[in-house]
Amino acid sequence: MTASRRVLVVGGGGREHALAWKLARDGAEVIVAPGNAGTAAVGENVAVAAADVAGLVALARDRAVDLTVVGPEAALVAGIVDAFRAAGLRIFGPTAEAARIEGSKIFCKQILHRGDVPTAMFRDFRSVSQAREYLEAREDMPVVVKADGLAAGKGVFVCADRAEAIAAVNTLGADPQFTAAARGVLVEERLDGVEVSVLAITDGRTIVTLPPLQDHKAAHDGDAGPNTGGMGAYCPTPFVDADMLADIEARILVPTVHAMRRSKVPFHGVLYAGLMLTAQGPKVLEFNARFGDPECEALMVRLDSSLLELLDATVDKRLETVADPVWRDESSVTVVMAAEGYPGPVDRGRPITGLDAAARVPDVQVFHAATRLDGGRVVADGGRVLAVTALGSTLARAKLQAYTAVKEIRWPGAWCRKDIADKGLRRAHELLAVEAGDATA
Ligand code: AMP
Ligand code: GLY
């Protein structure tokens, strides 16, 4: 039924490789723009950049693409969905206006307020000096300072006290990019707890909640070091049980989708909630308007039913007609292998060896995040280079398989976190001990 479908995946990271891989398994003929060395093996790469909206519209038209799926947020915020729709092309993702739930932290807070969705208390300011005055006048306490607008993870400062918060505001004030965009500043209450990711696919009315995951945003083991795009993920996370997931759907996802619709900014696509599990329950840290990376990789290997069908039904606004997705019972673990220097500047072009041996490790998929082909060789082409993903009958087994594959892969300067999924393993252990009535646990 789906054998002749032609799908365009926009982007060139691990998320897009995982989407292309899954869509190919669902029977689609896949084009990826611009793609990477990994996507070239599951579909056809076309050298059009994700930011080149006009070029992508032309590509979809010329190649009679049935459905386009967008990976990166920048393309969504730039209006790729609006442009495709105006050209009469089917595309999965939110409009530019709806993508502001990710693109503008202040807009996000307004929606959360409208939907009465739990989140950190906050104040927003039109200028750096207003934010500074506010911080100077109020009591000294831990806060988070955020720049409004997309900042690729660099616009958030988690501060222990007033002095740190004022320093963060000053850093923003001194950043020419920030001041040129005349963006607002948010000062919000710092929340404590465990962070999890819950993603949902929605057509603006019906919501399909995906299994919960945990990302690892800090660069180094033990959550030390600078913030990154994500160094690994695992799924499902035992921090969110079925009851809590139902609660997150009812108190966070559903009211957000409704608030968007009531605000005349209906949201279609992937709504990704970054949540803090606080003592008062789950609270929203942020919303993203797309699949997470590396969350997408850890999700796709567990999805047994058709992704294509879910995306199609979302675009056609008939998600209620599709059966619930079927997830494999196994756990998944994704370990990101990064280039030397990441999250700072990195060298490109170093050849990668061992990919075939890694692919032969049972239950492993090596998704490429930043690679390209150079005369038949696969070379590293960015910061997060590979997303090595494994399934396992237990989380421990999935972790073992993922790291067994990681050990096969080499290039000069390659590194990864060694503790992906460990928080989940500890949590699962605690839960077992409680279940066994082991008071000493
Ligand atoms: P954001 O881009 O808003 O998700 O922020 C990036 C990271 O900063 C999050 O993943 C959290 O680790 C941290 N963060 C953001 N907001 C808060 C908050 N209110 N309390 C504690 N940590 C936060
Ligand atoms: N892994 C975090 C993100 O995709 O935003």
Side-chain angles (χ1 to χ4, degrees), residues 19 39 55 76 83 157-158 184 200 207 227 238 241 299 309 344 347 361 390 406:
L19 291 172
T39 61
L76 295 166
F157 303 82
V158 179
I207 291 172
N227 203 35
D241 62 14
L299 281 168
E309 196 174 82
D347 247 19
V361 176
V406 164

Side-chain angles (χ1 to χ4, degrees), residues 15 73 102 197 215-217 228-231 272 286 288 290-295 384:
R15 165 180 54 205
E73 61 274 20
E102 172 165 6
S197 308
D215 187 12
H216 296 67
K217 289 208 173 103
T228 72
M231 295 303 296
Y272 160 156
E286 63 164 344
N288 295 317
R290 50 169 176 87
F291 283 106
D293 192 349
E295 286 94 333
R384 291 192 293 171

Side-chain angles (χ1 to χ4, degrees), residues 61-327:
R61 262 206 192 121
D62 293 350
R63 299 295 301 275
V65 165
D66 294 313
L67 172 71
T68 297
V69 190
V70 186
E73 61 274 20
L76 295 166
V77 171
I80 187 172
V81 169
D82 311 73
F84 269 64
R85 286 204 190 146
L89 294 162
R90 295 173 76 245
I91 185 163
F92 175 90
T95 60
E97 222 190 335
R100 288 172 68 219
I101 193 141
E102 172 165 6
S104 163
K105 291 183 188 296
I106 292 174
F107 175 75
C108 179
K109 286 290 194 188
Q110 287 164 350
I111 292 292
L112 294 176
H113 180 71
R114 180 145 199 195
D116 201 16
V117 175
T119 186
M121 288 184 295
F122 76 104
R123 293 283 302 265
D124 63 298
F125 303 94
R126 289 286 111 215
S127 72
V128 159
S129 54
Q130 279 174 7
R132 201 163 29 219
E133 275 165 32
Y134 168 76
L135 285 166
E136 276 159 1
R138 72 197 283 282
E139 68 178 295
D140 192 355
M141 62 187 281
V143 293
V144 181
V145 174
K146 299 183 176 183
D148 193 29
L150 287 185
K154 294 193 192 90
V156 176
F157 303 82
V158 179
C159 307
D161 53 30
R162 178 195 288 149
E164 274 187 28
I166 290 174
V169 167
N170 288 339
T171 303
L172 284 179
D175 180 343
Q177 262 185 345
F178 175 80
T179 41
R183 296 194 313 218
V185 182
L186 245 92
V187 176
E188 69 176 45
E189 162 201 17
R190 190 172 116 188
L191 301 175
D192 285 318
V194 173
E195 258 185 89
V196 297
S197 308
V198 176
L199 287 72
I201 292 179
T202 177
D203 62 4
R205 288 144 54 94
T206 303
I207 291 172
V208 174
T209 302
L210 313 184
L213 305 100
Q214 193 168 43
D215 187 12
H216 296 67
K217 289 208 173 103
H220 304 304
D221 286 12
D223 291 335
N227 203 35
T228 72
M231 295 303 296
Y234 67 92
C235 179
T237 175
F239 286 102
V240 180
D241 62 14
D243 285 348
M244 194 191 283
L245 191 61
D247 184 58
I248 288 167
E249 185 177 277
R251 296 195 324 128
I252 292 176
L253 297 170
V254 170
T256 300
V257 169
H258 284 173
M260 298 275 300
R261 194 149 48 99
R262 288 208 317 276
S263 305
K264 307 271 184 297
V265 194
F267 188 97
H268 331 97
V270 174
L271 191 60
Y272 160 156
L275 302 172
M276 189 72 94
L277 305 181
T278 74
Q280 292 81 42
K283 293 189 180 180
V284 173
L285 290 174
E286 63 164 344
F287 269 116
N288 295 317
R290 50 169 176 87
F291 283 106
D293 192 349
E295 286 94 333
C296 187
E297 293 91 309
L299 281 168
M300 287 306 124
V301 294
R302 290 196 60 224
L303 179 57
D304 234 0
S305 53
S306 172
L307 173 67
L308 183 55
E309 196 174 82
L310 281 173
L311 302 184
D312 266 335
T314 304
V315 171
D316 299 338
K317 302 206 174 58
R318 51 168 181 81
L319 200 46
E320 79 284 359
T321 65
V322 176
D324 282 342
V326 180
W327 301 95

